[in-house]
């Protein structure tokens, strides 16, 4: 554990040092700082991963003093044989592309150009594995020409030297060797300054790890292999990572869609850090609702925390076409006369997810709690179909302010095409958690014990007073398809046995108090009337 914490501390120091370099060259809080930090961090990781895997394949290289020179001195055929023996998901680097080589040659002229050329070559060589595709199939670049973000060309060499010096200070290699599971902590620290709600049209929200863990642990209750996991609004991938950890990274493939380039970049880095490099080609930057890349594919597990409200009026009418009618069977929200940004786009994501489930598929979707009780409209049609089809496994209503960035109360909808329709779990966890302050916002935080309680009660299909009920699809139909646990809780009246004499005494006491109150009221009426008669106009 001490070694684990040591690695975490050193890695956080690296991130802070890279941010310090950006600040020293005028890029602190600049829009390009995000690109520089994430791309340099990715370069560092690919460098160290390559070194680690090569040393495993050829152990004698772990003993040499100058690793990059040892690679450089290898006959070309030997080098090609070594690289080709590596797993297909391992990055391919040349000796002159290693950080150690750049470090040893940083005082040469035009170092910024050497640095940019190195990253460009790595990007081209590794595009098939590490690039993100758009809806059209175009692939992004792994790395930009980072020196170009420094407007003063005379400072570019120094800027690139500063970055390389920070990257050279320590290695990830020991972390790969020990297989420490610390990357979730590192990733959260890395993105904390870059994953806030910017207020734009496609604002991104960070799903709390507690919610992600609960969703994964309820969805995956037994070992599975070779499954396909999907998130149609993936963001930086918190939900997908929790799901993959629950299943086992080696037992699943990740698929995702998201309209945000920033989120897609973060998700790529998250996959690399969490041993899911093989799934990077499945990350698609697209508008899932208007241009779904995976429209005709089905998935075993789907997780999603979709945007709740968003103006999609510019492509709303296109969704009425025949190509989309089956997918949006319950309807498409209309464009309001005012507040277009209030359009309930999450209703389209729910329908898209239902369309995308395999024959035995499971899904967990974060929805506004108002969805589970709406008396009519698209919401009611969706709930009705889920119940009639036998796809509803249950619902967990979360505490308020579980998300720091939104005050909307949320629930998690659990779907399962093989669900037990006689034992549907409805849970009201709104009273759990502790309120903490995060900056200007207040957020409710669940303890690990409360997380376990939610998971265990739900998976055991257990009815717990004031927390959960277990109902049948027929009972839900009787309640107008409400998914709110509170509407199914029993109203308990406590009875106390008393004698006839005690009952009469209590009744006499009530009568005496009422007579006294009536008398006081009559006296007060007389006093008010007397005061009114004394009023005079000056």
């Amino acid at each position: 554990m001490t070694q684990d914490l040591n690695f975490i501390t050193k890695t956080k120091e690296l991130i802070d040092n890279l941010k310090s370099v950006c600040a020293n060259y005028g890029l602190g809080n600049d829009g390009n700082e995000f690109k520089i930090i994430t791309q340099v961090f990715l370069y560092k990781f690919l460098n160290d991963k390559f070194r680690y895997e090569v040393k495993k394949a050829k152990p004698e290289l772990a003993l040499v003093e100058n690793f990059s020179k040892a690679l450089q001195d290898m006959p070309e055929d030997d080098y090609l044989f070594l690289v080709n023996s590596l797993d297909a998901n391992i990055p391919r680097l040349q000796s002159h592309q290693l950080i150690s080589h750049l470090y040893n040659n940083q005082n040469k002229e035009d170092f910024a150009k050497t640095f940019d050329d190195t990253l460009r070559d790595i990007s081209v060589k590794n595009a098939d594995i590490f690039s993100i595709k758009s809806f059209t199939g175009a692939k992004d670049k792994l790395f930009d020409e980072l020196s170009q973000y420094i407007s003063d060309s005379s400072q570019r060499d120094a800027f690139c030297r500063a970055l390389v010096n920070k990257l050279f200070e320590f290695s990830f290699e020991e972390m790969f060797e020990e297989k420490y599971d610390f990357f979730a902590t590192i990733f959260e620290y890395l993105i904390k300054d870059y994953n806030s709600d910017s207020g734009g049209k496609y604002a991104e929200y960070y799903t709390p790890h507690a919610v992600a863990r609960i969703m994964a642990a309820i969805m995956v209750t037994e070992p599975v292999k070779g499954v396909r996991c999907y998130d149609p609004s993936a963001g930086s991938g918190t939900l997908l990572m929790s799901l993959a950890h629950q299943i086992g990274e080696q037992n699943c493939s990740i698929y995702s869609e998201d309209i945000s380039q920033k989120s897609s970049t973060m998700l790529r880095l998250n996959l690399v850090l969490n041993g899911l490099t093989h799934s990077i080609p499945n990350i698609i930057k697209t508008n899932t609702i208007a241009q779904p890349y995976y429209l005709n594919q089905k998935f075993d597990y789907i997780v999603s925390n979709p945007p709740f409200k968003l103006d999609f009026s510019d492509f709303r009418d296109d969704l009425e076409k025949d190509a989309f009618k089956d997918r949006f069977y319950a309807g498409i929200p209309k464009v309001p006369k005012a507040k277009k940004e209030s359009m309930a786009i999450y209703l389209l994501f729910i329908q898209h997810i239902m369309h995308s489930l395999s024959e035995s598929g499971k899904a967990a979707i974060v929805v506004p709690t108002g969805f589970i009780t709406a008396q009519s409209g698209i919401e009611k049609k969706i709930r009705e179909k889920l119940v009639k089809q036998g796809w509803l496994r249950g619902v967990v209503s979360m505490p308020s302010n579980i998300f720091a960035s939104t005050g909307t109360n949320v629930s998690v909808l659990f779907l399962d095409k093989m669900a037990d329709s006689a034992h549907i779990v409805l849970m009201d966890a709104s009273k759990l958690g502790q309120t903490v302050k995060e900056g200007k916002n207040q957020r409710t935080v669940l303890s690990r014990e409360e997380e376990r309680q939610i998971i265990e009660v739900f998976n055991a299909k257990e009815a717990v007073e004031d927390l959960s009920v277990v109902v049948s699809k027929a009972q839900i139909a009787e309640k107008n398809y409400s998914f709110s646990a509170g509407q199914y809780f029993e109203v308990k009246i406590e009875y106390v046995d008393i004698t006839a004499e005690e009952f009469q005494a209590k009744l006499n006491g009530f009568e005496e108090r009422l007579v006294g109150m009536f008398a006081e009221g009559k006296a007060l009426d007389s006093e008010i009337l007397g005061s009114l008669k004394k009023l005079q106009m000056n």
Side-chain angles (χ1 to χ4, degrees):
M1 179 58 71
T2 302
Q3 185 77 327
D4 193 2
L5 293 174
N6 183 44
F7 287 148
I8 292 175
T9 300
K10 285 186 175 182
T11 309
K12 287 183 176 180
E13 285 177 2
L14 169 62
I15 296 167
D16 290 339
N17 287 338
L18 293 175
K19 290 181 179 179
S20 178
V21 170
C22 289
N24 290 339
Y25 287 87
L27 295 172
N29 296 319
D30 181 271
N32 294 313
E33 183 190 31
F34 158 76
K35 293 181 180 179
I36 295 167
I37 299 297
T38 54
Q39 291 184 24
V40 169
F41 194 84
L42 177 60
Y43 171 46
K44 169 65 175 171
F45 196 90
L46 297 183
N47 175 92
D48 291 3
K49 183 67 171 175
F50 173 77
R51 289 171 58 103
Y52 170 74
E53 294 295 341
V54 166
K55 289 176 183 179
K56 272 208 317 183
K58 197 172 179 64
E60 57 266 34
L61 288 174
L63 305 175
V64 301
E65 185 174 343
N66 190 328
F67 179 80
S68 60
K69 187 176 186 309
L71 275 189
Q72 190 175 4
D73 292 342
M74 284 180 65
E76 185 176 356
D77 288 347
D78 290 352
Y79 171 79
L80 290 175
F81 179 81
L82 174 62
V83 171
N84 289 334
S85 69
L86 300 178
D87 184 272
N89 296 311
I90 304 303
R92 266 57 177 165
L93 275 68
Q94 300 283 336
S95 61
H96 66 274
Q97 296 169 340
L98 297 174
I99 292 172
S100 57
H101 180 84
L102 292 178
Y103 178 82
N104 292 328
N105 290 274
Q106 61 180 292
N107 292 322
K108 292 186 177 179
E109 291 184 6
D110 296 328
F111 182 71
K113 182 177 185 304
T114 300
F115 182 78
D116 287 338
D117 289 348
T118 298
L119 295 188
R120 185 188 308 109
D121 291 345
I122 293 173
S123 181
V124 171
K125 181 67 175 176
N126 294 276
D128 288 345
I129 297 297
F130 293 95
S131 285
I132 297 168
K133 288 187 295 186
S134 68
F135 175 79
T136 61
K139 294 182 177 180
D140 76 339
K141 295 185 296 182
L142 276 180
F143 305 109
D144 295 311
E145 294 183 355
L146 299 183
S147 71
Q148 302 306 304
Y149 294 124
I150 303 297
S151 56
D152 183 350
S153 59
S154 68
Q155 291 191 323
R156 290 173 182 169
D157 286 351
F159 172 68
C160 293
R161 288 190 194 102
L163 292 176
V164 169
N165 284 329
K166 298 303 181 187
L167 297 180
F168 186 74
E169 289 177 357
F170 89 106
S171 174
F172 281 121
E173 291 180 59
E174 289 182 65
M175 303 176 196
F176 302 136
E177 186 65 39
E178 299 296 335
K179 300 186 185 300
Y180 285 115
D181 184 18
F182 75 148
F183 289 119
T185 302
I186 292 303
F187 188 76
E188 184 174 356
Y189 187 79
L190 178 66
I191 71 172
K192 66 184 175 66
D193 294 332
Y194 307 119
N195 201 44
S196 59
D197 174 11
S198 61
K201 183 171 181 181
Y202 295 102
E204 298 149 89
Y205 297 95
Y206 186 71
T207 307
H209 283 297
V211 176
R213 285 191 294 264
I214 290 168
M215 290 167 69
I218 288 177
M219 290 181 75
V220 185
T221 57
E222 57 187 23
V224 292
K225 287 187 177 181
V227 293
R228 291 158 52 91
C229 304
Y230 171 61
D231 188 338
S233 54
S236 56
T238 303
L239 293 178
L240 284 170
M241 294 309 100
S242 286
L243 181 59
H245 292 327
Q246 185 73 17
I247 293 171
E249 291 84 352
Q250 72 281 6
N251 296 326
C252 64
S253 295
I254 299 297
Y255 297 80
S256 76
E257 295 175 278
D258 198 288
I259 199 167
S260 167
Q261 178 64 51
K262 183 177 85 171
S263 291
S264 297
T265 300
M266 285 295 194
L267 176 54
R268 168 172 55 199
L269 187 53
N270 214 351
L271 291 173
V272 170
L273 294 183
N274 284 279
L276 288 156
T277 302
H278 60 276
S279 290
I280 291 176
N282 304 330
I283 304 173
I284 306 297
K285 189 190 86 66
T286 189
N287 181 331
T288 307
I289 300 303
Q291 293 181 309
Y293 187 84
Y294 293 118
L295 179 62
N296 297 316
Q297 297 197 34
K298 304 298 181 184
F299 300 94
D300 304 300
Y301 292 89
I302 303 179
V303 286
S304 183
N305 175 19
F308 291 169
K309 296 181 184 287
L310 202 66
D311 175 11
F312 60 94
S313 58
D314 51 350
F315 61 86
R316 190 249 174 223
D317 290 346
D318 292 335
L319 302 179
E320 299 275 16
K321 295 178 181 177
D322 290 342
F324 296 106
K325 280 185 177 177
D326 288 342
R327 189 166 52 136
F328 302 125
Y329 73 93
I332 301 167
K334 299 187 183 306
V335 181
K337 292 181 180 179
K339 290 190 175 181
K340 290 183 180 180
E341 66 276 9
S342 69
M343 296 177 72
I345 195 170
Y346 81 94
L347 296 172
L348 300 182
F349 275 97
I350 297 175
Q351 294 178 81
H352 173 80
I353 289 167
M354 293 168 66
H355 175 83
S356 302
L357 280 172
S358 67
E359 290 184 1
S360 59
K362 299 175 174 63
I365 315 164
V366 179
V367 299
T369 294
F371 166 81
I372 67 176
T373 56
Q375 295 296 296
S376 60
I378 298 172
E379 297 92 333
K380 169 79 178 301
K381 289 180 182 178
I382 293 174
R383 297 201 314 268
E384 190 171 347
K385 179 169 182 176
L386 290 175
V387 173
K388 288 183 175 179
Q389 293 283 96
W391 294 1
L392 180 66
R393 185 176 167 205
V395 176
V396 176
S397 295
M398 291 291 178
S400 60
N401 297 317
I402 194 81
F403 289 78
S405 55
T406 174
T408 304
N409 289 340
V410 303
S411 296
V412 181
L413 192 64
F414 290 94
L415 313 185
D416 184 344
K417 283 199 174 180
M418 308 296 288
D420 175 4
S421 295
H423 299 88
I424 299 168
V425 181
L426 303 179
M427 184 179 294
D428 181 2
S430 62
K431 297 181 181 67
L432 302 181
Q434 180 179 1
T435 301
V436 298
K437 188 147 187 161
E438 291 187 354
K440 297 179 180 178
N441 299 317
Q442 283 192 331
R443 185 159 78 92
T444 302
V445 178
L446 293 169
S447 69
R448 285 303 182 104
E449 183 54 41
E450 288 171 325
E451 286 182 42
R452 282 193 292 272
Q453 181 185 19
I454 291 171
I455 293 164
E456 290 172 3
V457 168
F458 194 102
N459 285 338
K461 300 177 184 176
E462 184 180 353
V464 176
E465 186 174 347
D466 293 331
L467 178 66
S468 63
V469 292
V470 181
V471 296
S472 66
K473 60 190 291 185
Q475 288 174 290
I476 293 179
E478 290 173 4
K479 293 282 189 181
N480 200 30
Y481 296 97
S482 170
F483 292 174
S484 172
Q487 294 192 23
Y488 298 83
F489 288 152
E490 289 184 14
V491 177
K492 294 189 176 181
I493 302 175
E494 293 187 3
Y495 296 93
V496 179
D497 290 332
I498 59 174
T499 64
E501 291 78 10
E502 289 173 328
F503 175 78
Q504 190 60 47
K506 284 181 176 288
L507 194 59
N508 291 340
F510 293 148
E511 289 178 355
E512 288 176 7
R513 283 195 292 275
L514 281 173
V515 169
M517 292 170 66
F518 291 152
E520 287 179 12
K522 187 174 181 181
L524 184 59
D525 291 342
S526 298
E527 186 178 337
I528 293 171
L529 286 171
S531 297
L532 287 172
K533 290 178 180 179
K534 292 177 183 178
L535 289 176
Q536 295 181 357
M537 182 175 179
N538 293 330

